[in-house]
Amino acid sequence: MLKVVEETYGCRMPMSACKSKSADLEPIVLPYSQIENILNAAKFGAAYPVLMALQIEGCMRWDDLYKINKDSFEESGDKKYIVTIGKNSQLCRRMIREDLWVQVKNLFDSNNLPNKNYDRYCSEIKKFVGTEKINVKIEIGYGRYVHRKEPLNKVVSSHVLRKTGINRWRSRGLDDATIRNR
């Protein structure tokens, strides 16, 4: 009923946030080829690809990357962790592959970890992913959507890297609770 009123009169009703689950926008995620490009570039220790790989592998928000400090690097046996204080002052302890953990630590120790300038980071992401076109679902009206092909560098953001990481872990069979706990 709300949808009919909104579309007929071109207004947003107070309860319009109660849209059905099927009306939610699908998250934009990077294609597999782009994920591999980032992870391969990170192997060579370049600062921005390492930060991008860390965000994908650790499903990290920008705030988590920003809060990496000298106390963030933990080891427990053969497992490596990056620990930050996340949203709402919660401790976020993320298990990271050893080679990526070492690269992040080396960049941090040499003051070359580019985790303080969000705008520059986002522009580097856009440059890195290029103009490959992907299908995206765009809302054109209240509850009305169209599918379009858009260039990656137009729709990608730091948050897309996080969502890509989350969907990557889901595709490996992990549920959301396990992803959060890791």
Side-chain angles (χ1 to χ4, degrees):
M1 181 69 167
L2 288 173
K3 181 179 170 186
V4 172
V5 171
E6 288 177 342
E7 288 178 0
T8 303
Y9 297 102
C11 65
R12 185 175 277 280
M13 302 297 291
M15 296 293 291
S16 63
C18 301
K19 293 178 184 174
S20 68
K21 196 72 171 157
S22 64
D24 289 344
L25 289 175
E26 299 163 3
I28 297 170
V29 296
L30 293 177
Y32 183 75
S33 60
Q34 286 295 332
I35 297 168
E36 288 304 307
N37 288 344
I38 290 170
L39 298 180
N40 287 332
K43 290 178 185 175
F44 297 103
Y48 286 104
V50 166
L51 206 55
M52 289 179 224
L54 179 62
Q55 192 171 14
I56 292 170
E57 291 280 324
C59 306
M60 298 173 105
R61 291 182 170 87
W62 167 254
D63 288 349
D64 297 327
L65 296 174
Y66 181 79
K67 293 176 183 172
I68 294 174
N69 61 46
K70 64 180 174 54
D71 298 324
S72 294
F73 301 94
E74 287 186 5
E75 296 180 72
S76 177
D78 62 342
K79 294 191 175 28
K80 309 288 187 200
Y81 299 93
I82 292 184
V83 182
T84 59
I85 301 295
K87 254 184 160 177
N88 304 323
S89 300
Q90 292 177 340
L91 187 66
C92 298
R93 189 172 190 241
R94 292 190 166 79
M95 189 169 32
I96 305 296
R97 287 190 342 253
E98 182 174 359
D99 61 321
L100 184 58
W101 185 89
V102 168
Q103 288 175 331
V104 174
K105 185 162 180 15
N106 289 341
L107 286 169
F108 181 83
D109 290 344
S110 62
N111 285 331
N112 290 323
L113 187 66
N115 65 330
K116 300 299 180 198
N117 186 336
Y118 179 74
D119 293 332
R120 172 79 191 273
Y121 179 56
C122 287
S123 71
E124 290 294 327
I125 293 170
K126 289 177 186 303
K127 280 193 258 181
F128 193 86
V129 298
T131 59
E132 179 182 342
K133 292 197 175 198
I134 63 167
N135 288 320
V136 294
K137 186 176 176 182
I138 299 172
E139 185 171 10
I140 58 169
Y142 300 117
R144 295 184 342 207
Y145 301 90
V146 294
H147 289 272
R148 285 193 193 142
K149 280 197 172 274
E150 294 286 339
L152 269 174
N153 62 0
K154 184 176 176 187
V155 297
V156 76
S157 67
S158 172
H159 193 66
V160 167
L161 296 181
R162 179 173 183 266
K163 289 291 188 184
T164 298
I166 291 168
N167 281 345
R168 198 162 174 253
W169 287 113
R170 283 180 183 152
S171 71
R172 294 176 177 170
L174 296 178
D175 61 2
D176 288 345
T178 305
I179 295 169
R180 262 191 305 276
N181 291 337
R182 285 195 72 181

